[in-house]
Amino acid sequence: MFNYMFSVHPFCSTWRIIISKAKTITPRHLWRSDSCHTGPDVVLQPNKAKGAPNTQVTKTRKKLRSSCQPVLDHFDQQYSQELGDLWTPARAVLLDPHSWQYGVMLNRFTTVTNIKQTLQSKGFSTLLPQTEASTLCGDVPTVSNSISQDEKCPVLPPHCISKCPDDSHVQLVSSSHALTLPQSESSLRLPCSSLQCYIHPNPVCFPSQAHRPGQLKQYYLLNAASLLPVLALQVRDGEKVLDLCSAPGGKALAIMQCATPAFLCCNEPDPHRRDWLAKTLESFLPHSLTSRVIVSAQDGRCFGQSEEGAYDKVLVDAPCSNDRSWLYSSSGQQGEQRLKERARLPLLQAQLLRSALSAVRPGGVVVYSTCTLSSSENYAVVESVLNDCPEAEPEDLWEEIAVPLSNCFTFSPDHRGHEQTPHKPSLQSQYGVMSSYHHRLGILVVPQPRRTWGPMFLSRIRRRK
């Protein structure tokens, strides 16, 4: 596929890493240095008392970090304008890491029956309607935790969806209005998925599982909103998929939970994050998938040139001003430096999105996502690329994702802080009324009390045939 190939470090020697001749010219600090949606600050630790079952957990808290005042001041000024009344509760959530909720994504390549039972006994419920995971050519079985043995376990049985831990009605929250739908009606609109994620109404989660060579982990902890871009991608068995900015690997794992693609390329130009990605893949995917999943090291902006039209689906989880992480910058100086870098990110993000649109085949789909509330990195990036790429057609995710999942997530109904552009009227006339235009640009998950998921922006764009 590319010109050079070498093995990874011993802990992930089973995963191939592909290096292209294209040089990475983006300063490393502009690529996301933190995991947007992994690693809880409020965790449940195993109960180590003698005689206690392995599945019992007790609640512990990490020490609170101090927020960075320059970053918070900047957020207050920008997001109060862009989000209106949603910003005040979102601000309270971001400033209280102990309130953050985390989802538990189960690994379909291991036996997880005991984990499911424990989650349900602790008040967790499934996020999505469930269907049995399919396999391609029958060569990707569910296996036991120990991948050094050939023992096979039966495929997980279908799991009926349980109610999301909230009221029996769902709401789309905005500063001016709310739309309420019966849960049964909204749930029917969401396609079943083999992806199994459990959520809890309170900020509790299972302990992280340590990496152990030769063993697969049973679950992955994450911000449940980070699964939405994968759901929007709608990966099917046998497709060729590119995860353009893949590290630390959570979305790549989610893709493999949803379907069995013929080929999944996980691209990451930064060496440290690429090692992290390869280690994640080794921890969750069996050896039988090493021919289907590779790790590449191209500059994402050049990928579309070297692999034009090669993929059915492309995910661009772009480097961004990670609000959760940046708010807790280690010093005021670091926070101010990050704010200076923030102005340069939209250019990089637009370049990555254009590259993705070149890498996807005509008729294929690109999903662009970030973990920031910033309109300039979300709606504005998508709009600028649409204006430059006449073959790109945005698709409305509001009815497909926002409405069915509004019982668990809070979606911003508009983006008032987004400035008018000379090209906007033509796009509006092409795609209909203003609300339809907003939704075609993308949807935004805003953290709110008891629904602390996000930030997460996602937009789906199809390349016309």
Side-chain angles (χ1 to χ4, degrees):
M1 184 175 176
F2 303 117
N3 297 319
Y4 305 101
M5 182 185 299
F6 62 89
S7 296
V8 203
H9 296 300
F11 61 76
C12 48
S13 58
T14 59
W15 296 99
R16 295 182 293 154
I17 288 190
I18 309 298
I19 297 294
S20 71
K21 287 185 176 180
K23 295 182 179 180
T24 302
I25 58 177
T26 302
R28 185 179 301 177
H29 60 266
L30 271 186
W31 292 89
R32 186 171 46 217
S33 59
D34 304 288
S35 170
C36 292
H37 297 291
T38 58
D41 283 277
V42 180
V43 299
L44 291 178
Q45 298 288 354
N47 189 331
K48 297 183 180 180
K50 286 187 177 181
N54 291 334
T55 55
Q56 289 200 4
V57 291
T58 55
K59 189 173 181 179
T60 64
R61 289 180 179 244
K62 291 183 180 180
K63 185 177 179 180
L64 275 176
R65 298 166 292 176
S66 299
S67 60
C68 179
Q69 195 59 46
V71 175
L72 181 59
D73 291 342
H74 184 89
F75 284 2
D76 282 336
Q77 181 178 4
Q78 178 180 356
Y79 294 153
S80 59
Q81 177 185 358
E82 294 183 1
L83 299 175
D85 294 342
L86 286 179
W87 170 237
T88 298
R91 183 185 193 272
V93 169
L94 293 177
L95 289 174
D96 184 14
H98 286 170
S99 72
W100 297 356
Q101 296 162 279
Y102 287 85
V104 183
M105 181 176 67
L106 303 188
N107 185 9
R108 72 180 175 107
F109 302 108
T110 66
T111 52
V112 294
T113 304
N114 60 326
I115 299 297
K116 292 165 68 174
Q117 293 172 347
T118 302
L119 287 167
Q120 291 168 349
S121 69
K122 298 297 180 182
F124 285 81
S125 57
T126 53
L127 173 65
L128 304 169
Q130 297 295 289
T131 186
E132 188 170 320
S134 60
T135 59
L136 189 64
C137 302
D139 60 351
V140 189
T142 301
V143 300
S144 63
N145 280 31
S146 176
I147 59 176
S148 60
Q149 301 176 358
D150 295 329
E151 179 183 359
K152 296 182 181 180
C153 298
V155 177
L156 294 176
H159 182 74
C160 296
I161 186 170
S162 57
K163 286 189 176 181
C164 183
D166 208 320
D167 297 333
S168 59
H169 288 71
V170 299
Q171 290 186 333
L172 295 172
V173 183
S174 74
S175 57
S176 59
H177 65 278
L179 173 62
T180 302
L181 296 172
Q183 183 174 1
S184 58
E185 179 182 342
S186 63
S187 297
L188 290 174
R189 300 180 184 177
L190 191 68
C192 289
S193 173
S194 60
L195 190 155
Q196 299 182 88
C197 180
Y198 283 77
I199 59 174
H200 198 281
N202 298 319
V204 295
C205 70
F206 271 22
S208 299
Q209 291 182 313
H211 173 78
R212 296 180 181 179
Q215 288 191 338
L216 296 183
K217 295 184 180 181
Q218 293 175 296
Y219 56 86
Y220 186 86
L221 303 181
L222 76 175
N223 185 317
S226 65
L227 296 176
L228 301 187
V230 175
L231 294 178
L233 198 60
Q234 297 181 336
V235 176
R236 301 289 183 261
D237 291 348
E239 292 184 324
K240 295 180 180 179
V241 184
L242 168 62
D243 187 359
L244 191 61
C245 311
S246 191
K251 291 181 177 63
L253 295 181
I255 288 171
M256 297 304 297
Q257 302 305 315
C258 292
T260 305
F263 183 74
L264 172 61
C265 178
C266 303
N267 186 66
E268 178 54 54
D270 181 85
H272 173 72
R273 291 175 59 79
R274 190 166 60 247
D275 286 346
W276 185 7
L277 167 64
K279 187 174 180 180
T280 299
L281 295 175
E282 191 209 7
S283 294
F284 287 89
L285 302 182
H287 295 312
S288 59
L289 291 175
T290 55
S291 62
R292 298 180 185 274
V293 183
I294 69 164
V295 177
S296 70
Q298 283 208 67
D299 184 325
R301 296 168 297 179
C302 304
F303 214 106
Q305 298 176 7
S306 61
E307 295 290 303
E308 184 174 2
Y311 294 91
D312 301 295
K313 305 285 174 64
V314 180
L315 175 63
V316 187
D317 188 38
C320 66
S321 54
N322 180 349
D323 293 348
R324 289 197 183 211
S325 175
W326 284 29
L327 188 57
Y328 294 94
S329 300
S330 59
S331 66
Q333 183 178 5
Q334 183 191 50
E336 291 174 353
Q337 179 61 34
R338 283 177 162 178
L339 292 176
K340 291 179 181 178
E341 296 168 359
R342 196 181 206 202
R344 299 156 60 186
L345 281 169
L347 175 60
L348 170 63
Q349 292 158 343
Q351 290 171 332
L352 290 169
L353 182 51
R354 292 188 185 97
S355 177
L357 285 167
S358 295
V360 76
R361 63 170 174 79
V365 164
V366 172
V367 170
Y368 172 81
S369 64
T370 74
C371 54
T372 179
L373 298 169
S374 176
S375 178
S376 63
E377 298 179 49
N378 296 333
Y379 304 102
V381 168
V382 172
E383 186 174 40
S384 69
V385 172
L386 292 177
N387 289 330
D388 294 339
C389 302
E391 74 278 11
E393 180 179 4
E395 297 187 341
D396 195 335
L397 295 174
W398 189 257
E399 293 293 328
E400 178 182 324
I401 290 181
V403 172
L405 290 176
S406 58
N407 54 342
C408 298
F409 303 97
T410 298
F411 295 88
S412 175
D414 55 35
H415 50 288
R416 289 173 292 170
H418 181 49
E419 297 296 331
Q420 298 281 336
T421 69
H423 302 279
K424 194 166 182 178
S426 62
L427 285 172
Q428 281 181 240
S429 61
Q430 181 178 355
Y431 298 124
V433 298
M434 176 70 76
S435 60
S436 175
Y437 170 78
H438 286 167
H439 297 159
R440 282 180 176 268
L441 286 181
I443 56 177
L444 176 66
V445 179
V446 182
Q448 296 288 284
R450 292 184 61 81
R451 299 182 182 188
T452 63
W453 318 108
M456 177 55 60
F457 173 83
L458 56 150
S459 175
R460 187 170 67 203
I461 303 172
R462 186 175 298 274
R463 181 176 175 181
R464 292 190 182 94
K465 294 183 179 180

